Each structure stands twice: as structure tokens, then as C-alpha cells.
Amino acid sequence: MKYVILFLEFFKIGLLAIGGGMASLPFLHEMVQKYGWITEDELINMIAVSEATPGPIGTNVATYVGYTIGGVPGALIATLSEVAPSVLIITLLARWLPTWSKNKIVQGGFAAVRPAVAGLIGAVALGLARSEFLRVDGWQLGTLLQNVDWAGLGTGAVLFLLLQRYDWHPVLVIVGAAAVGIVLGL
Amino acid sequence: MTSLWDLFFTFARIGLFTFGGGYAMLPMIQREVVERKKWATEQQVLDYYALGQATPGIIAVNTATFLGYDRRGVIGGIVATLGMIFPSLVLIMTLATLIAQAQEVTVVQHAFRGIRIAVVVLIVHTVLKMARRTVTSVRGGVLFAAALVLISLAGISPAFVVIGAAALGAGYAAWTARRTPGVEGGDEA
């Protein structure tokens, strides 16, 4: 049953995650909440390792999640199901795709999906920021300030600056953050 | 004729030597496929890359599928794709085992706490970058905000948001095409 769910979930991701590796994130986050096979923290760890390992981030995360949930068969099922929809679409429809992709209606569809996907990832970012920077679940506004993990939030602000302002490479940011985590004992 | 082994190993090499996927993979594909193997012209790779973005799935993998299909048909598309994901499979499974063991050590736990903060920051950074690129009109802004709110507060499945946005966008394009015939008619299929 686990393998059937893995197949269905990752096939869905391959079909609907449009716009790069991070676009699969909202679906993975939903999976974490729905099945509870892995925790939110584990998912974030997996994204970090996937980002710092060669290969497309999307397939790296699929392999990691699949392997953690179902061992080697789980890894194979998750990764292969994720690439299956596009392989099917491309090999079956290759002849028509160049024409279709120029069609105004198809372009309109994709143009609308892109900002929506950005919003979906934004929602994941908010959820993860809450669980990383607040010590409690939810947004209790009255006690918000007491529950903020200031060391974590400060580290995040510095990392954001390095990324946004000084254009650090993501892998460098991850390695730097690991060092900070050890030194500060976060 | 291009051998299937050659397809597999060429794309495995591309998968192995690129970090970050997507855009980062383009120069590596150019070097291997255009310059070394001469399987396609630079323009073809760019065209496939653009098509890969307009096809569901991982852009780098889609580009590989297109190029493999171009060389050896359906089988070529499948083999190139498998080549591209092969290094990920091996590397990640090895790392996953090692990391699971290392997690027992306190220092590693502290390191991962720092790393998780970095990942949250990287995701926020990605969202800002994507929003700047994709939210170019009021309609885009509404879609961005609607997706964010529907997922955060209403707990709606991302699948519905993606399908709903696609339907809205396609419907709107069809509607404007009808209102201004001849100007935005698309390719009247």
C-alpha cells in the first residue's frame, strides 16, 4: 500500500509541479502533513542535502523521500514515478508539442500557473519559517515575541543578506549555516 | 546511429557534474551534447530547454528526454532520462544511509539545525525571485496571493490550485482571443 501511495503521489508531482525543482515542495509538504511518514524537519534536511548534491533537485528529493519511506524500492518508485508523466508526454506528443507550446490558450494556462506556484512555495516558506523560528505551533500573537528563537532568526537574517545582497552560492550558504549551527550550538 | 549506452552515460555525466539543476544544467548540456557529441545545435538545445519549461516535470530531465527522443525515438527518450537520474539515485541513497548514522552525533544535529535555517532562507529567496519574475500584472499578483492564502489558511491541496490556475489562465486567453479575433487568435487549430 505504501508503495502504491508513493507511486500515485510522485506521479502527481511529476504531472503538476511546473516551474523547477522547488515547485515540488508544496506537494511534498502536503504529503508530510497527510501521511506523517517523515517530519517537517526531516523534509528540510532532505532539501538541504538535495541542494548540495549533484543532479536536479527535484529527482534528488524524490529519491531521498522515497528511500526514507520505503528503502531502495521506495527510492526507485518515487523517482521513476516523478519522471514518468513528462517522459510519457514528451515521447508520445513530441511531434505536436512545438505547435502547442505556441498556442495562446496553452501559453495563457502556463502563464497563470507560474505566479500561483510562486504563491504555493510562499505558503510553504511561511509554514517552515514558523516551525523553525517559533518554539510553539501556530501564531499566538500575544506571546509571539517570547516564543521567537532569536538566535535562529538572527542567523536566518544574516544568511538572507549574504544570499540576496552578496549573491552567495546556495551550497556555500548551506555549508556556512552548518558551521554557524555548530559554533553557536543552535 | 547513436548507441543507447552512449546516451545513457552522456546524460549520467551531465547529471553527475551539475549542481542545482534547472538553469545550472544548461551550460553542461551545451558542452556535452553540442560541443563533444554534436548531437544537436546550440539553438536546438535552447529550444528543447524552453519546451522543457512548458512541459510538466523537472526542466533538466525534460530537456534530456527531448534530446534522447530526438536521437533514438521513444527508447532514446527513456534511456537519456534514466541516465540523467541515475547519479541522483546512487548518490542520494548512499548519503541518506551515512547521514542517518551521523545524525546520532550531537555536533551533526547542531549543524543540521543551522542547515535547516539556511534552507528556509533559500526557499524564501526562491519565492521572491519567482514572484519578481512571474508577477508582472495585477492578475499575476491576485493568483500569487490567492494561492498563498488558499494553501496557508484554507488547507486546499496544491493540485487544485495548479489545475485551477491553469484553467483560469487558459479560459482567460480563450476569452480575449474571441473578443479580438485576428489579433490574438493563436493558431486556430
Side-chain angles (χ1 to χ4, degrees):
Chain A
M1 197 54 208
K2 196 162 68 181
Y3 295 127
V4 177
I5 295 174
L6 271 181
F7 165 73
L8 291 173
E9 287 290 337
F10 279 95
F11 194 88
K12 185 174 82 183
I13 294 176
L15 196 58
L16 294 175
I18 294 160
M22 286 289 187
S24 64
L25 215 52
F27 296 94
L28 292 168
H29 196 236
E30 188 196 25
M31 233 173 92
V32 166
Q33 290 166 334
K34 210 154 100 187
Y35 300 105
W37 284 331
I38 52 173
T39 65
E40 216 169 43
D41 273 1
E42 281 178 306
L43 178 65
I44 310 178
N45 289 351
M46 290 176 190
I47 295 165
V49 174
S50 302
E51 189 114 30
T53 309
I57 296 169
T59 49
N60 286 350
V61 179
T63 305
Y64 209 148
V65 172
Y67 184 75
T68 309
I69 293 171
V72 175
L76 289 172
I77 289 171
T79 312
L80 293 176
S81 334
E82 189 173 62
V83 299
S86 55
V87 170
L88 281 173
I89 290 171
I90 291 170
T91 54
L92 292 177
L93 307 175
R95 208 179 318 160
W96 298 283
L97 281 175
T99 323
W100 281 353
S101 68
K102 288 192 194 74
N103 182 292
K104 285 277 184 295
I105 295 172
V106 175
Q107 282 181 348
F110 273 103
V113 167
R114 292 204 180 92
V117 167
L120 290 181
I121 305 174
V124 177
L126 277 181
L128 295 183
R130 185 188 62 198
S131 69
E132 287 303 319
F133 300 133
L134 285 183
R135 292 195 199 86
V136 289
D137 283 340
W139 300 96
Q140 286 97 338
L141 288 178
T143 52
L144 189 67
L145 289 181
Q146 290 134 45
N147 289 321
V148 172
D149 175 0
W150 292 105
L153 192 62
T155 307
V158 173
L159 292 173
F160 186 75
L161 199 70
L162 292 174
L163 199 65
Q164 195 87 351
R165 230 11 216 284
Y166 299 97
D167 224 20
W168 273 34
H169 193 278
V171 176
L172 202 57
V173 172
I174 289 175
V175 173
V180 172
I182 294 170
V183 172
L184 295 185
L186 286 173
Chain B
M1 192 157 62
T2 313
S3 84
L4 293 175
W5 281 116
D6 204 6
L7 269 180
F8 183 87
F9 283 115
T10 301
F11 283 99
R13 188 178 11 229
I14 294 171
L16 184 61
F17 288 111
T18 28
F19 281 88
Y23 300 98
M25 205 156 271
L26 205 50
M28 188 69 191
I29 291 180
Q30 297 273 25
R31 190 161 60 232
E32 289 291 315
V33 173
V34 179
E35 286 165 30
R36 279 197 41 188
K37 297 288 177 186
K38 302 197 182 357
W39 285 342
T41 64
E42 200 165 316
Q43 189 55 47
Q44 267 177 306
V45 172
L46 286 175
D47 287 347
Y48 283 142
Y49 184 76
L51 271 180
Q53 283 176 293
T55 312
I58 299 150
I59 301 165
V61 179
N62 290 351
T63 311
T65 315
F66 271 116
L67 286 164
Y69 179 80
D70 193 52
R71 301 309 298 175
R72 287 293 301 269
V74 175
I75 268 289
I78 294 171
V79 167
T81 307
L82 291 178
M84 190 74 144
I85 63 178
F86 181 71
S88 291
L89 275 168
V90 177
L91 276 173
I92 292 287
M93 285 196 275
T94 313
L95 276 175
T97 314
L98 292 176
I99 289 170
Q101 284 161 1
Q103 289 279 15
E104 315 279 313
V105 186
T106 322
V107 175
V108 176
Q109 286 166 6
H110 286 308
F112 267 100
R113 168 77 179 115
I115 287 172
R116 282 198 297 278
I117 293 172
V119 170
V120 172
V121 170
L122 283 170
I123 296 172
V124 171
H125 177 71
T126 304
V127 171
L128 292 177
K129 219 165 61 183
M130 283 180 90
R132 258 201 308 271
R133 212 172 52 225
T134 60
V135 179
T136 48
S137 61
V138 176
R139 285 197 305 279
V142 170
L143 285 164
F144 175 86
L148 205 156
V149 170
L150 282 175
I151 291 284
S152 296
L153 299 180
I156 288 179
S157 164
F160 285 109
V161 175
V162 170
I163 294 168
L168 278 177
Y172 183 78
W175 184 64
T176 42
R178 269 178 103 185
R179 277 189 38 192
T180 49
V183 181
E184 285 200 78
D187 57 350
E188 304 291 333

